[in-house]
PDB file of all heavy atoms in Angstrom:
ATOM      1  N   MET A 145     -18.739  -3.428   9.050  1.00  0.00           N
ATOM      2  CA  MET A 145     -17.575  -2.632   9.448  1.00  0.00           C
ATOM      3  C   MET A 145     -17.934  -1.641  10.559  1.00  0.00           C
ATOM      4  O   MET A 145     -17.102  -1.312  11.407  1.00  0.00           O
ATOM      5  CB  MET A 145     -17.021  -1.883   8.239  1.00  0.00           C
ATOM      6  CG  MET A 145     -16.421  -2.786   7.183  1.00  0.00           C
ATOM      7  SD  MET A 145     -16.099  -1.907   5.621  1.00  0.00           S
ATOM      8  CE  MET A 145     -14.983  -0.627   6.172  1.00  0.00           C
ATOM      9  N   ALA A 151     -13.969  -6.422  11.699  1.00  0.00           N
ATOM     10  CA  ALA A 151     -14.245  -6.087  10.300  1.00  0.00           C
ATOM     11  C   ALA A 151     -13.781  -4.674   9.959  1.00  0.00           C
ATOM     12  O   ALA A 151     -13.638  -4.333   8.781  1.00  0.00           O
ATOM     13  CB  ALA A 151     -15.738  -6.224  10.014  1.00  0.00           C
ATOM     14  N   ALA A 152     -13.524  -3.857  10.974  1.00  0.00           N
ATOM     15  CA  ALA A 152     -13.078  -2.479  10.742  1.00  0.00           C
ATOM     16  C   ALA A 152     -11.561  -2.349  10.810  1.00  0.00           C
ATOM     17  O   ALA A 152     -11.031  -1.238  10.757  1.00  0.00           O
ATOM     18  CB  ALA A 152     -13.718  -1.557  11.781  1.00  0.00           C
ATOM     19  N   THR A 153     -10.862  -3.468  10.895  1.00  0.00           N
ATOM     20  CA  THR A 153      -9.408  -3.430  11.084  1.00  0.00           C
ATOM     21  C   THR A 153      -8.711  -2.573  10.038  1.00  0.00           C
ATOM     22  O   THR A 153      -7.888  -1.724  10.360  1.00  0.00           O
ATOM     23  CB  THR A 153      -8.832  -4.853  11.058  1.00  0.00           C
ATOM     24  OG1 THR A 153      -9.382  -5.618  12.128  1.00  0.00           O
ATOM     25  CG2 THR A 153      -7.306  -4.819  11.196  1.00  0.00           C
ATOM     26  N   THR A 154      -9.018  -2.800   8.788  1.00  0.00           N
ATOM     27  CA  THR A 154      -8.305  -2.108   7.716  1.00  0.00           C
ATOM     28  C   THR A 154      -8.949  -0.795   7.301  1.00  0.00           C
ATOM     29  O   THR A 154      -8.280   0.226   7.188  1.00  0.00           O
ATOM     30  CB  THR A 154      -8.205  -3.023   6.484  1.00  0.00           C
ATOM     31  OG1 THR A 154      -7.385  -4.147   6.801  1.00  0.00           O
ATOM     32  CG2 THR A 154      -7.579  -2.279   5.316  1.00  0.00           C
ATOM     33  N   ASN A 155     -10.247  -0.810   7.060  1.00  0.00           N
ATOM     34  CA  ASN A 155     -10.905   0.346   6.445  1.00  0.00           C
ATOM     35  C   ASN A 155     -11.922   1.036   7.334  1.00  0.00           C
ATOM     36  O   ASN A 155     -12.815   1.727   6.844  1.00  0.00           O
ATOM     37  CB  ASN A 155     -11.579  -0.095   5.136  1.00  0.00           C
ATOM     38  CG  ASN A 155     -10.565  -0.545   4.104  1.00  0.00           C
ATOM     39  OD1 ASN A 155      -9.596   0.137   3.850  1.00  0.00           O
ATOM     40  ND2 ASN A 155     -10.797  -1.714   3.521  1.00  0.00           N
ATOM     41  N   GLY A 156     -11.761   0.863   8.627  1.00  0.00           N
ATOM     42  CA  GLY A 156     -12.735   1.439   9.545  1.00  0.00           C
ATOM     43  C   GLY A 156     -12.858   2.939   9.465  1.00  0.00           C
ATOM     44  O   GLY A 156     -13.922   3.502   9.766  1.00  0.00           O
ATOM     45  N   SER A 157     -11.783   3.621   9.044  1.00  0.00           N
ATOM     46  CA  SER A 157     -11.843   5.087   8.978  1.00  0.00           C
ATOM     47  C   SER A 157     -12.881   5.576   7.979  1.00  0.00           C
ATOM     48  O   SER A 157     -13.418   6.678   8.123  1.00  0.00           O
ATOM     49  CB  SER A 157     -10.466   5.655   8.608  1.00  0.00           C
ATOM     50  OG  SER A 157     -10.058   5.231   7.319  1.00  0.00           O
ATOM     51  N   PHE A 158     -13.196   4.766   6.985  1.00  0.00           N
ATOM     52  CA  PHE A 158     -14.159   5.191   5.972  1.00  0.00           C
ATOM     53  C   PHE A 158     -15.586   5.250   6.523  1.00  0.00           C
ATOM     54  O   PHE A 158     -16.421   5.995   6.009  1.00  0.00           O
ATOM     55  CB  PHE A 158     -14.126   4.253   4.767  1.00  0.00           C
ATOM     56  CG  PHE A 158     -12.925   4.449   3.879  1.00  0.00           C
ATOM     57  CD1 PHE A 158     -11.943   3.493   3.793  1.00  0.00           C
ATOM     58  CD2 PHE A 158     -12.777   5.608   3.132  1.00  0.00           C
ATOM     59  CE1 PHE A 158     -10.836   3.671   2.984  1.00  0.00           C
ATOM     60  CE2 PHE A 158     -11.671   5.801   2.317  1.00  0.00           C
ATOM     61  CZ  PHE A 158     -10.689   4.826   2.251  1.00  0.00           C
ATOM     62  N   VAL A 159     -15.887   4.414   7.530  1.00  0.00           N
ATOM     63  CA  VAL A 159     -17.271   4.311   8.012  1.00  0.00           C
ATOM     64  C   VAL A 159     -17.473   4.906   9.399  1.00  0.00           C
ATOM     65  O   VAL A 159     -18.584   4.869   9.922  1.00  0.00           O
ATOM     66  CB  VAL A 159     -17.736   2.837   8.024  1.00  0.00           C
ATOM     67  CG1 VAL A 159     -17.641   2.234   6.625  1.00  0.00           C
ATOM     68  CG2 VAL A 159     -16.917   2.003   9.014  1.00  0.00           C
ATOM     69  N   SER A 160     -16.433   5.463   9.991  1.00  0.00           N
ATOM     70  CA  SER A 160     -16.563   5.971  11.363  1.00  0.00           C
ATOM     71  C   SER A 160     -17.550   7.133  11.455  1.00  0.00           C
ATOM     72  O   SER A 160     -18.105   7.406  12.520  1.00  0.00           O
ATOM     73  CB  SER A 160     -15.198   6.396  11.898  1.00  0.00           C
ATOM     74  OG  SER A 160     -14.638   7.420  11.105  1.00  0.00           O
ATOM     75  N   ASN A 161     -17.785   7.810  10.345  1.00  0.00           N
ATOM     76  CA  ASN A 161     -18.713   8.942  10.316  1.00  0.00           C
ATOM     77  C   ASN A 161     -20.092   8.547   9.780  1.00  0.00           C
ATOM     78  O   ASN A 161     -20.967   9.387   9.637  1.00  0.00           O
ATOM     79  CB  ASN A 161     -18.110  10.067   9.455  1.00  0.00           C
ATOM     80  CG  ASN A 161     -18.965  11.311   9.397  1.00  0.00           C
ATOM     81  OD1 ASN A 161     -19.474  11.774  10.414  1.00  0.00           O
ATOM     82  ND2 ASN A 161     -19.153  11.839   8.191  1.00  0.00           N
ATOM     83  N   PHE A 472      -6.945   8.026   3.406  1.00  0.00           N
ATOM     84  CA  PHE A 472      -6.485   6.854   4.153  1.00  0.00           C
ATOM     85  C   PHE A 472      -5.099   7.054   4.750  1.00  0.00           C
ATOM     86  O   PHE A 472      -4.884   6.803   5.925  1.00  0.00           O
ATOM     87  CB  PHE A 472      -6.496   5.595   3.278  1.00  0.00           C
ATOM     88  CG  PHE A 472      -5.984   4.409   4.032  1.00  0.00           C
ATOM     89  CD1 PHE A 472      -6.793   3.710   4.905  1.00  0.00           C
ATOM     90  CD2 PHE A 472      -4.664   4.023   3.920  1.00  0.00           C
ATOM     91  CE1 PHE A 472      -6.309   2.647   5.651  1.00  0.00           C
ATOM     92  CE2 PHE A 472      -4.167   2.958   4.652  1.00  0.00           C
ATOM     93  CZ  PHE A 472      -4.984   2.269   5.518  1.00  0.00           C
ATOM     94  N   ALA A 491      -4.927   0.595  13.286  1.00  0.00           N
ATOM     95  CA  ALA A 491      -4.646   0.982  11.904  1.00  0.00           C
ATOM     96  C   ALA A 491      -3.489   1.969  11.842  1.00  0.00           C
ATOM     97  O   ALA A 491      -3.140   2.463  10.771  1.00  0.00           O
ATOM     98  CB  ALA A 491      -5.892   1.596  11.282  1.00  0.00           C
TER      99      ALA A 491
END
Side-chain angles (χ1 to χ4, degrees):
M145 293 168 59
T153 298
T154 294
N155 295 311
S157 63
F158 285 111
V159 301
S160 60
N161 182 45
F472 178 81

